[in-house]
Amino acid sequence: MPMLRRTKEVFKKEEKQKEANERSRQKSIKEQEKEQRDTVLNIALGNENKGFAMLQKMGYKSGQPLGKSGKGIVEPIPLNITTGRSGLGHEEMKKRKAEENLENYRRKMHMRKQAEEQTADLFKLRLKTKQEQLQVKRDLVKSQKACQQLDMQKGLESPKEMWFWLQPEEEKEDDVDAEEEEEKEEDEFDVSDSEKLIMLTAYLREEHLYCIWCGTTYDDKEDLSSNCPGDTFADHE
């Protein structure tokens, strides 16, 4: 169903966007810290630094290797810095917390999706029921018209049952547009119409060898049994 497909796509986009925003925020913080650290480390030590001042008193000059032999290192040993001001284990705890938050968010989205699907299933079930009601009414009117015509062809002046023939007030219902019928509020299935349809179609098949869904009068019962798919609307779909 298009509505469900769009809902799923929205959920996926929301999850991806949230993950991307979190990664972007973490990246931005780390980049700022790295820029500040690199700026400080790239500034050479001056005379105000006590350690550097002591080296100068011993004859050291900037850019000169360390040691009496002059073979020592020129550049300072690189620093292995841990970013952040938290204690040991804090990063792991923060990562675990972020994963829990993400899992909670996904669980919430899953529950929302299930609620949407259940609502859609109920809507489809109600729509199907209304369509079945309308189909029964249409088939009943069709059967009544066919019964009246076939009975009169056999010389009958009145129906076997009063409702076997279409009554004048019922003819108006047949002229109502199908779309307008679907908009009417019909909360309960019309059982009486369903039972009438079963009885009337059985009468048409038995007395006239006629099937309303085939729209055919068969030669005999064997012909009807062999060539008609069945005695219900569903058999002819």
Side-chain angles (χ1 to χ4, degrees):
M1 190 171 182
M3 181 182 70
L4 290 177
R5 192 179 305 113
R6 288 195 297 271
T7 303
K8 292 179 181 178
E9 290 176 357
V10 170
F11 288 155
K12 289 182 180 179
K13 287 182 180 179
E14 287 181 354
E15 291 181 8
K16 290 182 179 179
Q17 186 62 44
K18 184 172 181 179
E19 293 177 1
N21 291 342
E22 180 64 21
R23 287 195 297 268
S24 177
R25 188 180 71 83
Q26 293 294 337
K27 182 179 179 181
S28 177
I29 294 174
K30 291 181 180 179
E31 287 178 348
Q32 291 177 12
E33 292 177 348
K34 185 177 184 302
E35 289 177 1
Q36 294 175 358
R37 183 171 65 251
D38 291 344
T39 300
V40 174
L41 292 176
N42 287 331
I43 299 175
L45 295 176
N47 294 331
E48 70 279 359
N49 185 278
K50 293 183 179 181
F52 186 71
M54 290 177 64
L55 287 174
Q56 284 184 317
K57 289 180 180 180
M58 290 186 288
Y60 175 78
K61 295 181 180 180
S62 181
Q64 181 180 3
L66 296 176
K68 293 182 178 181
S69 62
K71 295 181 179 180
I73 63 173
V74 177
E75 297 294 332
I77 297 174
L79 297 176
N80 192 2
I81 299 176
T82 300
T83 60
R85 301 178 181 178
S86 305
L88 295 175
H90 180 77
E91 287 298 323
E92 183 64 27
M93 183 179 67
K94 188 165 66 173
K95 180 181 178 182
R96 188 165 57 250
K97 183 65 176 177
E99 290 175 350
E100 289 176 358
N101 290 339
L102 183 59
E103 182 61 27
N104 290 335
Y105 174 77
R106 287 174 174 169
R107 190 180 299 112
K108 182 180 178 181
M109 291 298 101
H110 179 68
M111 292 175 65
R112 282 179 56 185
K113 182 172 67 174
Q114 284 185 324
E116 290 285 347
E117 290 176 350
Q118 289 175 358
T119 301
D121 289 342
L122 289 173
F123 173 78
K124 288 191 294 185
L125 180 61
R126 186 173 180 221
L127 180 62
K128 181 180 179 182
T129 302
K130 290 182 67 175
Q131 290 174 339
E132 288 175 347
Q133 293 173 25
L134 294 173
Q135 186 62 49
V136 167
K137 286 182 177 293
R138 286 192 290 264
D139 289 344
L140 180 58
V141 171
K142 186 189 300 184
S143 299
Q144 289 171 323
K145 287 183 176 181
C147 184
Q148 184 173 1
Q149 182 178 355
L150 293 171
D151 281 351
M152 293 179 69
Q153 287 177 359
K154 282 193 172 183
L156 297 180
E157 297 182 356
S158 60
K160 183 177 179 181
E161 298 287 346
M162 184 60 64
W163 52 269
F164 271 23
W165 291 7
L166 190 66
Q167 302 302 312
E169 62 272 12
E170 293 177 326
E171 293 180 357
K172 297 179 182 179
E173 297 181 6
D174 190 42
D175 295 330
V176 177
D177 187 83
E179 293 182 359
E180 294 178 357
E181 284 287 342
E182 292 178 0
E183 293 176 357
K184 292 182 179 179
E185 292 296 330
E186 297 177 338
D187 296 330
E188 297 182 359
F189 186 78
D190 193 342
V191 179
S192 61
D193 280 353
S194 178
E195 291 178 343
K196 286 179 180 179
L197 179 63
I198 293 173
M199 294 171 62
L200 184 50
T201 52
Y203 171 80
L204 289 171
R205 296 171 71 88
E206 181 69 24
E207 296 296 328
H208 299 291
L209 302 174
Y210 180 77
C211 173
I212 64 164
W213 297 291
C214 294
T216 303
T217 299
Y218 290 91
D219 296 334
D220 49 42
K221 291 185 178 181
E222 183 178 353
D223 185 25
L224 174 65
S225 176
S226 301
N227 297 303
C228 178
D231 57 0
T232 65
F233 172 79
D235 294 332
H236 292 76
E237 288 188 307

